[in-house]
Each structure stands twice: as structure tokens, then as C-alpha cells.
Amino acid sequence: MKKAFLTGITGQDGSYLVELLLAKGYEVHGLIRRSSTFNTDRIEHLYQDRHEANPKLLLHYGDLSDASNLNRLLRTIKPEEIYHLGAQSHVRVSFDMPEYTGDVTGLGTIRLLDAILETGLDSRFYQASSSEMYGLVQAVPQSETTPFYPRSPYACAKVYSYWITVNYREAYNLHASNGILFNHESPRRGETFVTRKITHSLAKILAKKQKHLFLGNLEAKRDWGYAKDYVEAMWLMLQQPKGDDYVVATGETHSVKEFVQEAFGLVGLNYENYVRMDERYLRPTEVDLLIGDPTKAAKQLNWKPKVTFKELTKIMVIADLEKEGLDPKDFGLEPSPKGQKP
Ligand code: NAP
Ligand code: F7E
């Protein structure tokens, strides 16, 4: 039985990836942070009971700032595959916490790569790189050969992690890959990222718990895909004979305004009556346009996104209506599939 070790297992992507790996028969080990409240909501459904262990899913306390802990975990677990998803992943927050973001999102990667070297394991390594690295874009669309121009402390930290992954692959012959993932969303997306903020607020507006939705820049354009599709690409990268770097994207771009319009339109509302501008959500430097070219992933990994922009918006709106106790049918929408956590 293959063993995988995941950082960021409690996050959006970690939760979908652990489902995929368990379905493929892996024993999965995940790094979790100690916190004063439960932070395992997204993976709780994988336990029959919070107090009953799942023998194939084992969680370990640790932190990306703690190298000796990472060393010890790798030495004892000996995973064949490592998916490094843990990060301070919020771009706006990275302007408030630049040093912390550099430490966790940047240096966390070298701590993990060094732990692989020091333990002498031949684990395959996946680095969660990001389209944010393209920042002030130097070409449209962005591919594996487009130069980076990061526009935030978060993006700078990810550029460091990208290059240190390439360097360790070349210097020590590691099977290490960068997935340059464009924005991907889902009902499990954190509530402060713009798509989820929109669908969550829409549900609260319909439930009469909120009157307005305060947003920043509506003109920014993103290439939005579905997180569940994207974690498959991560797994495929580690099944290749050699490590490499791949763009994972849909090849379509939409503005924040289009996303709001689509979401509110699904329940028959005009977004202009609800959306208000709040300067607090503007960034000192913005990334105006992202659109990825996933040709290499299609050719070499045989990977393609399955869920379209409109389908993604609908999945998220429906899931948030249900979370607010509203019936999607009252708005002409089909409920989420039964028996699956959205
Ligand atoms: P997310 O939901 O924000 O999850 C981040 C994960 O990192 C959480 O499990 C979090 O733990 C953990 N973490 C944060 N600080 C940590 C620390 N100091 N030590 C250990 N773990 C820590 O992010 P995501 O959307 O799933 O994204 C996964 C990865 O892909 C991230 O590296 C992100 O930067 C990158 N990425 C995301 C996208 C996207 O569109 N989603 C696109 C490209 C790249 P807690 O639950 O305890 O907070
Ligand atoms: O912002 C604009 C904002 O925070 C998208 C992370 O997963 O994807 C994510 O980073 C756009 C930006 O995602 C609000 O200015 C307007 O232009 O949802 P976001 P992001 O910054 O693109 C990349 C690929 C990652 O790697 C990151 O980890 O939406 N926007 N109004 C707003 N954004 C937020 N959060 N909140 C607003 O109110």
C-alpha cells in the first residue's frame, strides 16, 4: 500500500486530494496545526466519528515553520509521495503579514525538501505553485515558459518555492514537480476568497441575515476552475516517470463582476442592488488578468478540466444555499447530489 504525506490537508485542496488518495487505496498521513478550536471540518466526514480513528488516514501535529518536526515525521512515515499544499495562501493577507508569509509559504518548502534529503528518502514531491507568480503578466495566455513577475509577498514566496523545487530536482535528482495552478474554487473554498465570499453572502442575503455584499476590485480577471478537477492533476504529476512543471488551468478568463452577475442571476437577483464597494479589499498591487494555457498538462498528463465556469458557480451557489438551510428548488435549482460532501 502506497503512503502519501500531505501538508495543508485541512485546506480546500487537501480535503479533495485526501478523498482521491483514499479512493485509490493509499494510506494518507496529514500535517495539522494545533489550534484552540477544531480545524478539521473539511475532512471530518472521512471519519465515521470524530473520536474513531480511520486506519488509513492519520493526522500528525506539526507546522511548516518547524524543521525538526518535519524531519521526524518523514523519517517515521517514509511516504512514497509528498504533496506540499500547506501555505499562508491569502494574497491580501500577505501584505499584512509579509515576513510570516515568506517563512511559511516560502521557507516551509525548503524545510520539507531538506527533510527529504536528510532522511535519504526517494519520495516524490509535489509543490503547490501558483498563477499568482505571473502577476503583472508578461504574455497572454500564461504557460510554463512565461516569465514570472510577482505582485505580492505571497507571490514572491511562491516564486522562491517554485525555483527551490526546480533546483533540488536538478541538484539532487529528486522527483519533484511544480503544479502551477490557476485559481480553483469549490464549496470548500475559504470564505474570504472572492468566489466563496460572493456565494456565501448571496445565501445570507436570501436568508435575510445580510443586506449587502462588500467587495473590492470587480474588474480583475481570473481563470477559475473546480478544485476537485485540479487535485487529479496533482496526483497525475507524481505518476510520471520524471518530475516536471505544469500549468493547470481552464484556458478561460472571467472578471469578478461576471462571477457576481452569474451567481446573483442564478437566483433571479440583480447584483447591482446588493454589491457595495469597500476600499479595504483593494490590494497595494493587483493582478489584473490571469488566463492559463494548459496544453502541456493535456498532452503529457492527459488532464482536462471537467467543470465549466457556469457549472462551478452553480455548484457553489447551491451548496451555500443548503448551508443556510434554504431549498435550492425554491430558486429553480437542483439540490447537491445526495451522499457526497460538496
Ligand atoms: P487553503 O484552503 O488556504 O489551505 C491552506 C492549508 O495550509 C491549510 O490546511 C492550513 O492549515 C495550512 N497551513 C497554513 N499555515 C500553515 C503552517 N504554518 N504550517 C502548516 N500548515 C499550514 O489553501 P488551498 O486553496 O487548499 O490551496 C492549497 C495550496 O495551493 C496552497 O499552497 C496555495 O497557496 C496553493 N494554491 C492555491 C490555489 C487556489 O486557487 N486555491 C491556486 C494555486 C496555488 P489550517 O487549516 O490549520 O489553516
Ligand atoms: O481574489 C478581487 C481581488 O482572494 C481574486 C489564492 O488561492 O488564487 C487565490 O488568490 C480577485 C483579486 O484570489 C474582493 O482583488 C475583489 O483580484 O479570491 P481571491 P487570488 O488573490 O487570485 C491564487 C491562484 C492563489 O495561489 C492564492 O493562494 O478578486 N476581489 N473583491 C476580492 N478578493 C477578495 N479576496 N475579497 C474581496 O472582497
Side-chain angles (χ1 to χ4, degrees):
M1 187 196 305
K2 265 195 191 168
K3 278 191 228 173
F5 177 66
L6 272 64
T7 69
I9 193 166
T10 56
Q12 171 188 254
D13 291 5
S15 71
Y16 286 115
L17 182 62
V18 64
E19 284 173 6
L20 180 92
L21 294 172
L22 289 173
K24 288 187 183 295
Y26 281 69
E27 179 178 298
V28 181
H29 294 255
L31 185 77
I32 57 163
R33 300 198 281 180
R34 192 270 156 183
S35 89
S36 65
T37 51
F38 280 112
N39 58 359
T40 48
D41 278 11
R42 292 187 179 99
I43 54 173
E44 213 119 275
H45 60 291
L46 300 171
Y47 293 88
Q48 296 208 314
D49 175 309
R50 181 181 283 167
H51 305 287
E52 199 174 299
N54 175 340
K56 285 195 164 181
L57 173 56
L58 298 119
L59 303 178
H60 308 267
Y61 283 113
D63 199 287
L64 288 163
S65 60
D66 184 346
S68 65
N69 158 271
L70 294 172
N71 258 279
R72 193 164 49 250
L73 288 175
L74 290 200
R75 204 175 318 115
T76 47
I77 298 165
K78 298 188 177 58
E80 277 90 1
E81 294 175 10
I82 298 173
Y83 296 88
H84 175 36
L85 312 178
Q88 190 303 91
S89 74
H90 204 284
V91 174
R92 178 67 196 81
V93 171
S94 78
F95 286 100
D96 300 329
M97 304 175 75
E99 182 187 334
Y100 176 79
T101 304
D103 188 15
V104 169
T105 306
L107 294 179
T109 308
I110 191 64
R111 293 188 184 105
L112 206 46
L113 284 166
D114 259 345
I116 299 177
L117 284 192
E118 285 170 25
T119 49
L121 295 170
D122 61 355
S123 315
R124 296 182 172 196
F125 181 80
Y126 173 84
Q127 164 57 20
S129 283
S130 164
S131 54
E132 280 295 301
M133 301 188 301
Y134 297 118
L136 188 62
V137 297
Q138 304 293 295
V140 179
Q142 297 85 48
S143 74
E144 293 80 4
T145 54
T146 304
F148 300 139
Y149 193 132
R151 295 270 278 175
S152 64
Y154 166 79
C156 292
K158 283 286 181 188
V159 170
Y160 172 79
S161 286
Y162 171 92
W163 281 114
I164 202 67
T165 300
V166 173
N167 180 246
Y168 270 44
R169 178 167 77 217
E170 293 173 353
Y172 305 111
N173 204 22
L174 294 189
H175 190 301
S177 294
N178 280 291
I180 307 173
L181 270 54
F182 282 62
N183 298 54
H184 46 281
E185 319 292 313
S186 73
R188 299 186 202 171
R189 185 59 143 154
E191 284 152 10
T192 62
F193 296 96
V194 78
T195 56
R196 183 73 202 292
K197 181 171 169 182
I198 293 166
T199 59
H200 184 233
S201 299
L202 172 58
K204 289 215 174 281
I205 288 169
L206 292 170
K208 308 221 176 314
K209 292 182 186 164
Q210 192 175 318
K211 281 193 176 142
H212 295 114
L213 161 58
F214 291 91
L215 293 173
N217 179 13
L218 296 187
E219 305 307 324
K221 291 182 142 188
R222 291 290 183 275
D223 179 331
W224 278 299
Y226 182 37
K228 211 170 176 173
D229 287 348
Y230 284 34
V231 299
E232 280 184 35
M234 298 176 185
W235 178 78
L236 285 167
M237 284 177 218
L238 295 205
Q239 312 316 308
Q240 302 308 302
K242 285 195 321 198
D244 204 342
D245 310 313
Y246 301 89
V247 160
V248 177
T250 68
E252 250 186 55
T253 193
H254 296 273
S255 65
V256 173
K257 194 189 282 172
E258 285 176 86
F259 190 95
V260 191
Q261 210 162 10
E262 179 65 26
F264 278 66
L266 279 171
V267 295
L269 296 182
N270 178 354
Y271 80 92
E272 285 170 306
N273 297 330
Y274 301 93
V275 172
R276 299 286 180 271
M277 161 74 174
D278 188 333
E279 292 200 345
R280 282 179 308 160
Y281 299 115
L282 299 177
R283 293 155 188 203
T285 39
E286 176 62 285
V287 173
D288 295 318
L289 164 73
L290 291 174
I291 176 164
D293 172 3
T295 307
K296 181 175 172 184
K299 273 196 189 145
Q300 294 190 23
L301 303 177
N302 197 22
W303 178 87
K304 275 200 174 63
K306 298 184 194 110
V307 170
T308 64
F309 172 76
K310 280 179 187 273
E311 286 164 350
L312 172 65
T313 315
K314 200 187 270 184
I315 291 170
M316 293 178 68
V317 167
I318 291 170
D320 271 321
L321 292 181
E322 287 170 341
K323 276 198 183 131
E324 278 305 321
L326 300 168
D327 186 348
K329 286 191 190 138
D330 293 342
F331 303 93
L333 297 166
E334 282 302 309
S336 305
K338 283 232 159 8
Q340 283 173 36
K341 183 181 165 74

